[in-house]
Amino acid sequence: QVQLVESGGRLVQAGGSLRLSCAASGRTFSSYTMGWFRQAPGKEREFVAAISLSGSATYYKDSVKGRFTISRDNAKNTVYLQMGSLKPEDTAVYYCAARKYLQSIVASEYDYWGQGTQVTVSS
């Protein structure tokens, strides 16, 4: 069982930066691929970024490539999402998720989810 708690979401102006954190419970964090997803009002939850067990491989939604960076610290059981050059269309609730071993961009393939943190980008 893995419990995930996101933090760091807030209101930010367009062009600004923000770092989200997701703290995981348990002693097997390094056995889980981690992902970030987001859901805007009236839209489906969508993939944002994912990172492999060791952090050596990362994957991004095309629209955030070059602006967002996912990273993890297995010693701290934490995954991060550094977001830059934020746009109003990045406004959403951001969720972190954990999946055993293999990375995926498909939300339904993740086993554990956090409660989400709101990111609002004003124009």
Side-chain angles (χ1 to χ4, degrees):
Q1 189 80 359
V2 177
Q3 292 185 327
L4 304 172
V5 179
E6 302 97 333
S7 61
R10 61 176 175 87
L11 173 64
V12 62
Q13 288 190 334
S17 299
L18 203 57
R19 189 177 81 159
L20 305 183
S21 300
C22 173
S25 64
R27 294 176 288 180
T28 59
F29 178 72
S30 59
S31 298
Y32 289 87
T33 290
M34 300 300 297
W36 285 98
F37 292 77
R38 66 187 182 188
Q39 188 167 18
K43 295 188 177 181
E44 292 188 354
R45 191 169 298 189
E46 63 176 8
F47 168 78
V48 176
I51 189 165
S52 62
L53 303 181
S54 66
S56 60
T58 55
Y59 309 86
Y60 297 95
K61 176 182 174 63
D62 284 346
S63 63
V64 307
K65 285 180 181 177
R67 299 191 299 122
F68 291 9
T69 301
I70 187 171
S71 61
R72 67 189 296 164
D73 186 336
N74 286 344
K76 295 182 178 180
N77 283 12
T78 302
V79 62
Y80 305 97
L81 186 67
Q82 180 69 47
M83 304 186 293
S85 301
L86 283 162
K87 306 175 181 180
E89 50 264 43
D90 294 318
T91 295
V93 177
Y94 282 71
Y95 299 88
C96 71
R99 181 174 191 259
K100 197 72 172 180
Y101 301 126
L102 297 177
Q103 56 270 9
S104 171
I105 65 171
V106 180
S108 61
E109 293 182 351
Y110 281 77
D111 303 305
Y112 302 101
W113 292 83
Q115 82 290 346
T117 186
Q118 176 70 49
V119 173
T120 303
V121 184
S122 63
S123 57

